[in-house]
Amino acid sequence: MAGVEVGQRVLATGNGVEGLRVAREERPDLILMDISVPGIDGIRATEQLKQDAGTKAIPVVIVSALPYGSVGRRVLDAGCDGWISKPCDPRRLLEEVQRRVGEPGALRH
């Protein structure tokens, strides 16, 4: 899918602390979160987002190479809304984004 335009605006950060800041400032429609990120891991970052009134409604989907069985309970307890295993098919990732936020340009209420 390299070079394919899908109509979504993507924000990326290099660590969990920055991800929290950007999520609070930008209020994205969806967060794709890795577990193994520097600063604060993705599960703890998700817990903080779900405890914050301004960000708790944002769906968080974990995208991780870790086996679900090893962290699944922690992911659910943190409030994550979904899971995608890496390596993932780009089409599968796009389908999950579209399922969560709709097609680009679609009206959302």
Side-chain angles (χ1 to χ4, degrees):
M1 289 190 51
V4 174
E5 188 73 30
V6 295
Q8 302 290 349
R9 179 174 167 238
V10 176
L11 305 170
T13 65
N15 65 64
V17 174
E18 173 100 353
L20 287 171
R21 182 188 62 75
V22 169
R24 289 176 176 137
E25 289 175 5
E26 298 289 333
R27 306 266 171 92
D29 295 325
L30 173 68
I31 296 172
L32 299 174
M33 178 84 72
D34 197 338
I35 292 175
S36 302
V37 293
I40 179 173
D41 73 50
I43 295 173
R44 291 190 56 218
T46 299
E47 288 172 338
Q48 289 187 26
L49 291 168
K50 295 300 184 173
Q51 292 170 0
D52 183 322
T55 57
K56 70 180 179 182
I58 301 170
V60 177
V61 175
I62 294 291
V63 182
S64 181
L66 293 173
Y68 181 79
S70 69
V71 291
R73 172 65 15 209
R74 287 184 57 219
V75 166
L76 292 174
D77 289 347
C80 293
D81 300 283
W83 177 279
I84 298 175
S85 295
K86 288 197 259 181
C88 61
D89 178 351
R91 286 180 213 86
R92 164 75 178 97
L93 186 63
L94 181 57
E95 286 170 3
E96 183 69 15
V97 169
Q98 290 173 338
R99 186 172 76 80
R100 301 270 175 191
V101 300
E103 295 288 331
L107 294 176
R108 291 186 296 277
H109 301 332

